[in-house]
Amino acid sequence: MSNITGLHHVTAIAGPAQENLDFYAGILGMRLVKKSVNQDDPSTYHLFYADGEGHAGSDLTFFPWAHMPRGRDGTGLTNEVSLAVPVGSLSYWEERLAKHSVKIGTQATRFGERALPFSDVHGLALALVETSDAREFTPWTGSPVPVEHQIRGLHTVRISERARARTEQLLTAGMGFTLLAEENGWKRYALGEGGSGRVLDVEELPNVTRGAWGTGRVHHVAWRVADDAAELAARKRLHEVGTPTTEVIDRFWFKSVYFNEPGGALFELATDGPGFGIDENMETLGRDLILPPWLEPQRAEIARELPALVTPAELTPASAE
Ligand code: ZN
């Protein structure tokens, strides 16, 4: 029995923060649940988008590092993030994305589910996947997207590896995944029974060189653990299978442990709690710049360095559409 229960969040590197906000809150209709700074580089934002309550597993976060070059496709990276939407929603989304001039791909069936691939404004590969799996989800009443079509949370991620065997070994022996299915060169691994938010897809591309971080690429994928004890147990298990990790780092809204999987992709363990409501009112999540307590004394300088963010014009009640 694994202590890891599913996807917690995915963090990616974006270009300018305003464009990122306009895309995820304005077009995708996700809730900005936390406006904070990168704890290692407080002169840049860390923006968190999620469902109405910021449930663990619904959360896509960004470091807007506009100065960074574009990332490069390749192996050893998480190359696509898919987001769960209700069955029957893809035609709504195709029309909505086209209306906003978002470049969309062709709908496809993946492991029996309908998927619509597209890219965000800075080139991050995304897909919307229709699922009827039960999920923890709270609608976002401020979203421009009607509740019946809103994004439910993270569905899966796709990782490309030059050699899959060592990654598979870590996933199964170290993290509690089982191989669920194989299709078109992709292996799908599941936590528990699998289902939306509890699967991971890995392909093997032996002739493709290492990709590189940059704007439009995933920085890391975080996996859920229920609490501190589960995190320590999962960390211990990683050590037993020879995977070095960091110490537990307090990210305030959750506690984190980082490690690289053998192919090179950066993973994290993150606790389900305490959650985004710990330092601001749930009603006004995302409105104010939130700093971890140890950065509060520098609030004035930090705020001066950050670009101003304007609420996207699209953020009108869902009934307006
Ligand atoms: Zn993280």
Side-chain angles (χ1 to χ4, degrees), residues 5-319:
T5 59
L7 286 160
H8 186 286
H9 64 269
V10 173
T11 296
I13 304 167
Q18 183 68 51
E19 293 172 10
N20 178 259
L21 179 66
D22 289 345
F23 190 87
Y24 286 92
I27 300 177
L28 295 192
M30 297 174 79
R31 184 178 188 184
L32 177 67
V33 292
K34 194 64 66 181
K35 181 165 63 178
S36 192
V37 292
N38 182 298
Q39 293 182 11
D40 302 316
D41 175 12
S43 69
T44 59
Y45 279 115
H46 190 180
L47 302 177
F48 297 69
Y49 305 92
D51 73 346
E53 275 188 56
H55 276 113
S58 74
D59 186 9
L60 192 47
T61 96
F62 291 90
F63 300 136
W65 289 340
H67 57 279
M68 250 190 128
R70 278 284 284 262
R72 192 179 66 242
D73 276 338
T75 50
L77 288 180
T78 302
N79 282 323
E80 188 198 81
V81 182
S82 65
L83 303 166
V85 293
V87 170
S89 292
L90 286 191
S91 49
Y92 165 85
W93 278 105
E94 237 174 18
E95 197 176 307
R96 179 171 177 81
L97 295 174
K99 189 177 90 182
H100 289 275
S101 307
V102 176
K103 213 175 149 204
I104 54 176
T106 310
Q107 280 194 34
T109 301
R110 299 175 176 177
F111 296 103
E113 299 165 328
R114 295 298 291 166
L116 174 65
F118 64 106
S119 297
D120 85 355
V121 64
H122 300 126
L124 178 66
L126 298 167
L128 292 168
V129 178
E130 290 187 345
T131 177
S132 53
D133 294 345
R135 297 193 53 111
E136 295 166 294
F137 170 70
T138 302
W140 165 224
T141 50
S143 176
V145 175
V147 171
E148 66 268 28
H149 298 307
Q150 283 180 18
I151 290 168
R152 267 41 185 173
L154 299 166
H155 186 69
T156 182
V157 293
R158 290 187 139 187
I159 299 183
S160 307
E161 301 288 14
R162 196 154 187 175
R164 190 163 39 195
R166 286 193 309 150
T167 297
E168 180 170 281
Q169 175 67 15
L170 172 66
L171 293 173
T172 55
M175 296 177 70
F177 283 89
T178 51
L179 178 61
L180 192 67
E182 194 165 357
E183 179 184 277
N184 297 330
W186 290 94
K187 282 188 176 182
R188 171 160 284 193
Y189 301 90
L191 290 161
E193 302 286 294
S196 189
R198 293 187 294 275
V199 286
L200 166 67
D201 299 340
V202 184
E203 70 174 345
E204 185 171 58
L205 301 173
N207 301 316
V208 175
T209 54
R210 186 80 200 256
W213 271 354
T215 58
R217 291 299 178 280
V218 169
H219 187 273
H220 64 266
V221 174
W223 300 97
R224 293 175 72 168
V225 284
D227 52 27
D228 291 4
E231 181 159 69
L232 289 173
R235 180 174 178 269
K236 182 162 169 277
R237 181 67 196 146
L238 291 168
H239 294 174
E240 283 165 4
V241 299
T243 303
T245 70
T246 65
E247 297 294 321
V248 175
I249 299 169
D250 191 351
R251 296 305 189 191
F252 209 55
W253 313 293
F254 43 82
K255 287 186 184 165
S256 300
V257 169
Y258 299 87
F259 59 104
N260 281 101
E261 58 83 21
L266 182 57
F267 281 175
E268 174 185 348
L269 304 173
T271 52
D272 281 354
F276 295 121
I278 187 146
D279 52 6
E280 64 187 319
N281 191 320
M282 290 301 286
E283 311 296 299
T284 56
L285 278 186
R287 187 188 63 189
D288 304 320
L289 178 66
I290 301 297
L291 299 176
W294 58 91
L295 289 174
E296 272 300 338
Q298 301 154 55
R299 172 174 281 272
E301 300 96 289
I302 289 171
R304 226 182 0 255
E305 288 281 309
L306 293 166
L309 286 179
V310 182
T311 302
E314 269 265 5
L315 291 194
T316 52
S319 56

